[in-house]
Amino acid sequence: MSRNTLLFGTDQPAVTGTPLACAPWAFTLEAGSLRHIKLNGTEAIRSIAFLVRDRDWGTLVPQIQDEVISQTDAGLRIAYTATYTNGPAQLIVDIEVEVTAGQLSMRADGITKGDFETNRAGFTVLHPIDGVAGQPVHVGHSDGTLEETTFPMLIEPWQPFMDIASLTHTVGDYSVTCRLEGDTFEMEDQRQWGDASYKTYNRPLAKPWPYQITEGDGLAQSVVLSIGAPLPYARSRPEPQTSSEAIFPDMALVVTPEDARRLAGSPSDLAGVNPQRLLCHLDMELGGLEAQIQAFATAQSACPDVLFDLELILACADTPAAELGAVAAHIQAFGLVPASVTVCPSADRQSTPPGSDWPDCPPLEDIHRAAADAFPDVMLGGGMVSFFPELNRKRPPLKMLDFVSHGLCPIVHAADDISVMETLETIPHITRSARAIFDDMQYRIGPATIAMRQNPYGNRVIPNPDAQRVCMTDDDPRHRGQFGAAYVMGLATALAAANVAVWTPAAIYGPRGIGFVGTTGQSDWPITQALAMLASLAGQVVKGAQISDGIAKLSVGTTVITANLTPEDNGDLSPFEWRAVD
């Protein structure tokens, strides 16, 4: 087995960047983007990149040609041509970066061959969140006005800033002003999706998408960073506090009706992990309601020591009372005993972006009232089977629920190794913002896997037959490498302080599963042993949880786990290695 396959589950080489510096600036040039732009050693901008999205919000990977890097006493210059292909059409963009002591600029001039369809084409600027959230920012608008405000502390459900011509914030002993030209820019709080950044992007979401850039049409955009005097720091708003005595959560694994039938014939497949619960995905839109419920009931008979939680996707083709009554009747008929029922209308599996019309859906109050009538003695949950943005934008009726749930996915916007691990920085921001919504109610997370089981932002998950690093795919090879084990250790560490009751970091079978275990209790997927260790900690007191310098350290009960979240030796840990000590 090659080193790449062992670490990442794929032979595809990881993208490597080129460190560059022109004092006082330093950054990494990686696949045409500028990453981790530092001013005198302090990160000022997380990334500047020219990005192109397809109709499903998938990121098109450009072919980069004619790259030239030249450095003189006067400064640094980078130039290249990026070609984006979507079907028969191409967008060809000439990009130039110029860096001097007082300024860093990135300019793009593009032209199309064929009618080019896209949801977005242009510069994206990412601001970091560490030391930035809650701090002052001056927002310049296209009419020349200046708005003095702060970066959001709690995650904003909608765009915090619109019509952006410039952004100024403090970086160490200076400020950095980011000026944008060539289109209308706005910002979204990208922490919602797990990204460790605020994102400024072009073309407002209120405009139609996808759209076409007709053949021969061009575009011209620029981003210019300049240095100034620092802004005064603000005193941060009080943040919702996590429990000082958090309990490590129960672990659940996702199971579909097809999985349940397989599990019923081989219940020892759970032995490699020994989760406390199974999250049963029941989708009324698929039809065959009786067969789906029967499959779960059969699996429950074969696995009596595991709790079965029902994740119910309501079709909303009839009244909530009629549909939920039918589900309850079939559950009783087949003898399934759910420990809890989470109800989510099918329409809410798709995101409703700013400027879009909400889909037809019965009021959530009616849905959860009908659920309470149908399941009077069962814990009831609400929220989203997708991710936090959807929960943040459409909040459930809390007084009617016993718990709230949402999922996580680190490859919504970027799929490189660094970006995936950086999403762990954002987990405390998500959990604090969630707690601000529902306070001390029971909180459940899941599914929370690297790969995406369903795409709320497009018509499909992105196929990945060649085992690449692909945004919004349902099959990420890193789940099967040592990276996957390290990531799940980091995720557990990031979640630990939030006092989550249940988390679902994998499925039983399939590309997001635990690997085939069978009677031997062994799996060649590194994540399996990591999950088994974490499952064994359920119900114990969290004594400490910290991620710093690429190391996750988690102390639960009498067990201390350390995990290297990097592809290099780190301390006494080899790449993506973890250890547990009692």
Side-chain angles (χ1 to χ4, degrees), residues 308-326:
F308 278 59
D309 297 308
L310 196 62
E311 180 187 65
L312 173 58
I313 307 300
L314 203 64
C316 299
D318 201 343
T319 65
E323 290 190 342
L324 287 163

Side-chain angles (χ1 to χ4, degrees), residues 49-285:
F50 191 94
L51 298 180
V52 181
R53 311 284 195 190
D54 65 17
R55 65 165 39 244
D56 293 311
W57 293 103
T59 302
L60 299 181
V61 178
Q63 180 182 8
I64 294 178
Q65 296 175 307
D66 304 325
E67 184 177 86
V68 176
I69 302 174
S70 58
Q71 191 157 15
T72 66
D73 292 341
L76 171 67
R77 179 180 179 272
I78 304 164
Y80 62 89
T81 298
T83 301
Y84 302 84
T85 300
N86 193 6
Q90 290 183 323
L91 174 62
I92 303 168
V93 186
D94 292 325
I95 294 178
E96 183 177 50
V97 179
E98 292 186 337
V99 188
T100 63
Q103 182 174 284
L104 183 154
S105 67
M106 192 169 184
R107 305 179 191 279
D109 290 286
I111 193 167
T112 59
K113 289 185 177 180
D115 294 338
F116 191 89
E117 182 187 69
T118 181
N119 279 358
R120 177 178 299 156
F123 278 121
T124 293
V125 179
L126 305 183
H127 282 73
I129 58 177
D130 185 20
V132 175
Q135 297 305 320
V137 59
H138 291 179
V139 183
H141 299 292
S142 61
D143 62 1
T145 60
L146 186 68
E147 177 186 0
E148 297 185 7
T149 182
T150 60
F151 282 100
M153 176 64 76
L154 298 177
I155 296 173
E156 288 284 342
W158 310 106
Q159 300 100 316
F161 311 131
M162 310 284 280
D163 181 27
I164 300 170
S166 67
L167 293 157
T168 302
H169 78 289
T170 296
V171 180
D173 295 329
Y174 300 90
S175 69
V176 167
T177 296
C178 175
R179 301 188 185 279
L180 306 116
E181 294 183 350
D183 205 334
T184 302
F185 289 81
E186 61 189 27
M187 178 182 285
E188 64 188 13
D189 195 335
Q190 202 171 220
R191 295 176 297 170
Q192 294 203 97
W193 292 272
D195 304 76
S197 57
Y198 302 95
K199 180 171 73 176
T200 302
Y201 56 92
N202 73 308
R203 188 171 172 92
L205 284 171
K207 291 187 175 182
W209 47 266
Y211 63 98
Q212 282 194 339
I213 306 173
T214 56
E215 182 169 15
D217 280 357
L219 59 81
Q221 295 179 21
S222 66
V223 179
V224 180
L225 306 182
S226 56
I227 303 170
L231 305 181
Y233 268 79
R235 184 173 296 175
S236 299
R237 292 183 299 175
E239 298 179 13
Q241 298 296 308
T242 53
S243 171
S244 59
E245 292 188 1
I247 302 299
F248 199 75
D250 281 0
M251 180 183 292
L253 300 176
V254 177
V255 56
T256 65
E258 181 181 358
D259 295 338
R261 296 183 190 100
R262 179 177 174 183
L263 179 63
S266 184
S268 62
D269 288 355
L270 292 178
V273 171
N274 288 320
Q276 287 75 38
R277 318 174 81 100
L278 296 176
L279 182 62
C280 303
H281 182 72
L282 174 61
D283 188 349
M284 295 188 70
E285 287 212 326

Side-chain angles (χ1 to χ4, degrees), residues 205-470:
L205 284 171
K207 291 187 175 182
W209 47 266
Y211 63 98
Q212 282 194 339
I213 306 173
T214 56
E215 182 169 15
D217 280 357
L219 59 81
Q221 295 179 21
S222 66
V223 179
V224 180
L225 306 182
S226 56
I227 303 170
L231 305 181
Y233 268 79
R235 184 173 296 175
S236 299
R237 292 183 299 175
E239 298 179 13
Q241 298 296 308
T242 53
S243 171
S244 59
E245 292 188 1
I247 302 299
F248 199 75
D250 281 0
M251 180 183 292
L253 300 176
V254 177
V255 56
T256 65
E258 181 181 358
D259 295 338
R261 296 183 190 100
R262 179 177 174 183
L263 179 63
S266 184
S268 62
D269 288 355
L270 292 178
V273 171
N274 288 320
Q276 287 75 38
R277 318 174 81 100
L278 296 176
L279 182 62
C280 303
H281 182 72
L282 174 61
D283 188 349
M284 295 188 70
E285 287 212 326
L286 295 178
L289 181 62
E290 292 183 55
Q292 291 189 64
I293 294 172
Q294 184 178 28
F296 295 132
T298 303
Q300 188 173 52
S301 296
C303 305
D305 297 329
V306 182
L307 295 175
F308 278 59
D309 297 308
L310 196 62
E311 180 187 65
L312 173 58
I313 307 300
L314 203 64
C316 299
D318 201 343
T319 65
E323 290 190 342
L324 287 163
V327 172
H330 292 314
I331 283 176
Q332 184 174 15
F334 288 110
L336 177 64
V337 182
S340 68
V341 177
T342 302
V343 181
C344 181
S346 182
D348 285 347
R349 286 190 284 186
Q350 292 304 118
S351 180
T352 301
S356 301
D357 294 330
W358 289 93
D360 290 335
C361 180
L364 292 181
E365 289 79 2
D366 292 353
I367 289 172
H368 291 296
R369 187 177 299 110
D373 292 338
F375 306 102
D377 301 316
V378 180
M379 287 190 68
L380 298 177
M384 291 291 174
V385 299
S386 52
F387 309 124
F388 182 70
E390 288 69 57
L391 172 66
N392 203 16
R393 291 171 175 174
K394 188 175 182 180
R395 302 180 179 186
L398 301 178
K399 292 182 179 180
M400 306 176 76
L401 302 174
D402 297 304
F403 62 89
V404 178
S405 179
H406 67 82
L408 298 168
C409 177
I411 59 168
V412 174
H413 292 117
D416 62 278
D417 301 331
I418 292 174
S419 293
V420 170
M421 284 300 185
E422 282 180 344
T423 63
L424 299 176
E425 296 178 25
T426 318
I427 300 300
H429 293 255
I430 292 175
T431 57
R432 283 195 297 266
S433 298
R435 286 291 186 197
I437 296 171
F438 52 79
D439 198 26
D440 60 353
M441 284 184 66
Q442 188 179 118
Y443 187 8
R444 299 188 182 186
I445 292 286
T449 54
I450 298 175
M452 180 182 283
R453 65 168 176 171
Q454 180 259 332
N455 183 2
Y457 315 111
N459 296 322
R460 58 171 188 161
V461 289
I462 306 303
N464 191 17
D466 298 323
Q468 307 287 294
R469 294 165 173 84
V470 178

Side-chain angles (χ1 to χ4, degrees), residues 247-251 276 503 533-541 556:
I247 302 299
F248 199 75
D250 281 0
M251 180 183 292
Q276 287 75 38
W503 71 313
M533 169 55 65
L534 294 167
S536 72
L537 302 180
Q540 300 181 51
V541 174
V556 180

Side-chain angles (χ1 to χ4, degrees), residues 508-550:
I508 297 180
Y509 303 117
R512 300 174 302 283
I514 60 175
F516 180 70
V517 178
T519 57
T520 64
Q522 300 295 317
S523 168
D524 60 359
W525 292 5
I527 196 171
T528 306
Q529 289 186 340
L531 291 171
M533 169 55 65
L534 294 167
S536 72
L537 302 180
Q540 300 181 51
V541 174
V542 176
K543 296 182 178 178
Q546 182 181 13
I547 298 176
S548 179
D549 298 323

